[in-house]
Amino acid sequence: MRKFLWLALALTIAAFQAIGAADFSNLIVIHTNDTHGYDQKADGVYGMAAVAALKQEYEAKGKDVLLVDAGDAIQDHNLVNLSQGKTAVSFMNAAGYDAMALGNHEFDYGQDVTLERAAEADFPFLSCNILVDATGKTFVRPYTIVEKGGVTVGIIGITTPETAGATNPKHVYGLTFLDGQDLYDAVQSNVDYLRGAGCDLIVALGHVGSEPISEGHRSDDILRHVQGIDLFIDGHDHRVKNYRVDGVLLASAGSHLANIGVVSYEGGQWHEQNLPYGVFEKENEAVKALVDAAAEDVQAELSRPIGTSEVVLDGSRPKVRMEETNLGDFIADAVLWQARMATAAEGMNIDGAIVNGGLRASITAGAVTQGAVQGVLPYRNQVCVVTMTGETLLEIMEASTAAAPYPAGAFPQVSGIEMTVRTDIPFAKGRAYGNGKYYKPAKPGQRVTIHRVGGKDFSPDAVYTIATYEFVSRGGDAYGVLAEPGRAETKYVGYTDAEAVVNYIQDELQGRIGTEYAVPQGRMQLQP
């Protein structure tokens, strides 16, 4: 009799659980990430009209569709750069997105613009781990709750802590990006709150990635330290992902709308069906018309010719982030020339130039347009000159080449500087710089030898003035020493990086990039 009563009780509990359990079988989760403004259909690019059409097609079949993006939507492609991402948000509004996680590139135009774009969106920008120092509150909403056909979905946004060092430091001033255990605690707190609020499904919408260099705040790490997440949609590392971590599906659609992710529920589990370009052919006509009209306006501006090039200037990745390239030489020369022109009346002596490896495209041979330059330099960084000792210069060269011969965004392209990097010697890591991703060298000069600067033999005791970008001067990437008190003095010269290149082509090169830039000029030697 006792066994019978226990069996009856167990069956009753199971019945109640079954009655109260949400039915996910009709829910479809469509996801994108790292679209970077690639919103118009092209070879290998779906475009936003295809995303809208896919959502529309599932809804026509009676499905409930949740459409989300995992960040980096408003910056990179010229289609969205000229409007500082305003057009990207309008495209996403038209497609019917439900939520987006803040990516690091959502900060590239500054915090104020980030918040303007968030206000324009018909869907929430989310991040639970970005705090405003002055208030202790989150910078944007940490989560949102969405009802989809009887299913209550809680969505939590997560942003890579690497943002603090991956964008211009002034753009994230006054913000703290929670990392490590603090990050896990923030995510767990929001998961617990949403469960308590009656959410049937918890979706983590992260822009964090899974790369080894990001250990401690990767999507995989979060899933291993946080309980209660049902589905993790990720971005940031531009990888297509479809695997489980502790039983939870981790999915990502790569980048640039080369794929569209589709997640459905079958057999008691969530399953990813990645749609590579070409699998789905339809476009939503209203969204297509909106994108095409914006593209025509942008093309009219960007097609303006500014000169010609006799050679291809190579900005391909990862090459431009791991070795000297002819494009890197050219851009560094342009920055140095512009800085010298802008300060000539002051009699300032500028010894050389450094630009980091964040060059975004190549320049093809033939006509060079405004759009080609904007494609290489979409960030509108201010050109500046930084005065420092040779000791400081050696430190930044040791730190910025720490990953060589492997790629890193900090990798320097230079002008007026001759140096050698011994890649067979391991980088001696000191304390982390303020951005937390790059490290102060414990032994500056162990791997790097600077031979000449400004045509003269290098000395750690000499004082040098180096032209660069605002991003570098404020301690971005591995240049954190420049943000330390007393280590450098910065002066802005009144031109952006793209303006410097246009002026260099038109004024100094008389509209023609010649064969002197056919190959890298041997300014940096990497020795195994």
Side-chain angles (χ1 to χ4, degrees):
M1 178 62 70
R2 186 177 295 110
K3 290 182 180 180
F4 176 78
L5 290 173
W6 277 111
L7 178 60
L9 179 60
L11 292 173
T12 301
I13 292 172
F16 276 114
Q17 288 177 335
I19 292 171
D23 180 6
F24 302 131
S25 62
N26 205 52
L27 180 63
I28 298 293
V29 181
I30 299 177
H31 62 94
T32 56
N33 62 277
D34 298 277
T35 56
H36 285 289
Y38 283 73
D39 293 325
Q40 186 177 41
K41 186 175 183 179
D43 186 24
V45 177
Y46 267 116
M48 196 55 65
V51 175
L54 183 63
K55 178 176 185 285
Q56 191 175 36
E57 181 167 284
Y58 273 112
E59 289 174 339
K61 295 176 181 178
K63 294 293 186 179
D64 303 307
V65 179
L66 179 71
L67 176 57
V68 295
D69 184 88
D72 278 7
I74 70 172
Q75 174 276 346
D76 193 1
H77 197 287
N78 283 326
L79 178 59
V80 301
N81 283 342
L82 295 191
S83 68
Q84 295 189 313
K86 187 180 182 73
T87 46
V89 171
S90 70
F91 304 153
M92 296 174 77
N93 283 341
Y97 275 78
D98 293 295
M100 185 183 92
L102 277 183
N104 53 292
H105 286 294
E106 264 68 63
F107 287 91
D108 282 348
Y109 311 114
Q111 290 179 46
D112 291 345
V113 175
T114 308
L115 293 176
E116 286 176 15
R117 298 294 87 86
E120 292 159 359
D122 295 337
F123 52 91
F125 284 17
L126 303 176
S127 183
C128 74
N129 66 306
I130 307 176
L131 303 183
V132 179
D133 294 344
T135 65
K137 297 180 179 179
T138 54
F139 178 66
V140 293
R141 294 168 58 180
Y143 65 83
T144 189
I145 299 175
V146 180
E147 295 288 337
K148 292 291 179 179
V151 176
T152 303
V153 185
I155 307 171
I156 303 167
I158 310 167
T159 303
T160 175
E162 296 165 13
T163 304
T167 191
N168 191 319
K170 75 172 183 179
H171 294 163
V172 291
Y173 180 78
L175 301 179
T176 292
F177 292 77
L178 299 178
D179 198 354
Q181 189 60 50
D182 292 335
L183 168 62
Y184 307 148
D185 290 345
V187 178
Q188 186 69 68
S189 176
N190 281 275
V191 169
D192 295 344
Y193 174 82
L194 292 173
R195 286 294 184 200
C199 290
D200 305 304
L201 175 67
I202 304 296
V203 177
L205 191 57
H207 189 85
V208 288
S210 300
E211 295 299 309
I213 195 172
S214 301
E215 185 175 2
H217 51 250
R218 298 171 298 181
S219 47
D220 312 60
D221 300 322
I222 294 169
L223 284 172
R224 292 188 179 103
H225 288 85
V226 176
Q227 303 301 313
I229 296 172
D230 298 306
L231 172 64
F232 202 121
I233 305 296
D234 197 19
H236 186 50
D237 56 12
H238 291 204
R239 289 171 50 190
V240 174
K241 286 183 278 192
N242 178 14
Y243 58 88
R244 300 184 192 279
V245 178
D246 290 349
V248 178
L249 177 64
L250 174 57
S252 182
S255 66
H256 298 170
L257 280 175
N259 309 277
I260 303 174
V262 178
V263 176
S264 58
Y265 193 77
E266 298 176 16
Q269 283 189 318
W270 294 99
H271 297 272
E272 166 78 329
Q273 179 190 6
N274 184 63
L275 302 182
Y277 175 77
V279 172
F280 183 73
E281 299 287 349
K282 297 179 182 179
E283 291 186 279
N284 179 286
E285 291 301 321
V287 176
K288 182 179 185 301
L290 182 67
V291 173
D292 290 349
E296 288 181 12
D297 292 341
V298 169
Q299 186 59 32
E301 168 63 22
L302 297 183
S303 60
R304 179 168 59 86
I306 58 173
T308 61
S309 180
E310 297 180 6
V311 298
V312 175
L313 297 173
D314 186 4
S316 60
R317 289 194 181 187
K319 191 173 183 180
V320 76
R321 293 184 165 207
M322 59 192 296
E323 63 184 71
E324 179 186 350
T325 73
N326 61 346
L327 176 69
D329 290 347
F330 169 73
I331 299 297
D333 285 352
V335 169
L336 178 57
W337 173 86
Q338 185 67 83
R340 284 174 171 169
M341 292 301 101
T343 60
E346 304 172 40
M348 182 178 289
N349 178 55
I350 304 175
D351 301 289
I354 300 171
V355 300
N356 69 328
L359 307 177
R360 306 293 291 189
S362 298
I363 294 178
T364 60
V368 178
T369 64
Q370 183 74 35
V373 175
Q374 293 290 339
V376 175
L377 300 165
Y379 303 111
R380 296 188 61 80
N381 256 298
Q382 293 291 319
V383 175
C384 58
V385 292
V386 183
T387 302
M388 67 188 82
T389 64
E391 180 183 11
T392 298
L393 179 61
L394 183 61
E395 177 175 331
I396 64 175
M397 288 308 193
E398 187 86 21
S400 61
T401 59
Y406 302 102
F411 187 85
Q413 302 286 342
V414 301
S415 179
I417 300 173
E418 299 170 32
M419 56 185 286
T420 299
V421 182
R422 288 282 305 274
T423 60
D424 59 323
I425 300 174
F427 175 71
K429 184 186 296 186
R431 65 171 175 79
Y433 287 121
N435 57 45
K437 181 179 178 181
Y438 291 96
Y439 293 84
K440 198 175 188 72
K443 299 178 180 179
Q446 183 181 37
R447 282 165 49 98
V448 169
T449 300
I450 301 176
H451 304 292
R452 296 172 68 81
V453 180
K456 298 179 181 179
D457 290 345
F458 171 76
S459 169
D461 299 321
V463 175
Y464 298 103
T465 300
I466 304 296
T468 188
Y469 302 153
E470 181 181 19
F471 171 76
V472 171
S473 73
R474 288 181 178 270
D477 278 348
Y479 301 89
V481 65
L482 297 182
E484 295 176 0
R487 295 301 296 266
E489 294 182 3
T490 298
K491 173 183 174 60
Y492 296 97
V493 304
Y495 296 88
T496 67
D497 48 9
E499 288 170 342
V501 171
V502 171
N503 293 340
Y504 181 63
I505 293 172
Q506 294 184 325
D507 297 341
E508 177 67 10
L509 302 182
Q510 298 298 301
R512 181 185 61 84
I513 303 171
T515 55
E516 66 271 23
Y517 285 110
V519 296
Q521 296 179 12
R523 302 168 183 180
M524 181 183 299
Q525 303 294 327
L526 301 184
Q527 294 184 353

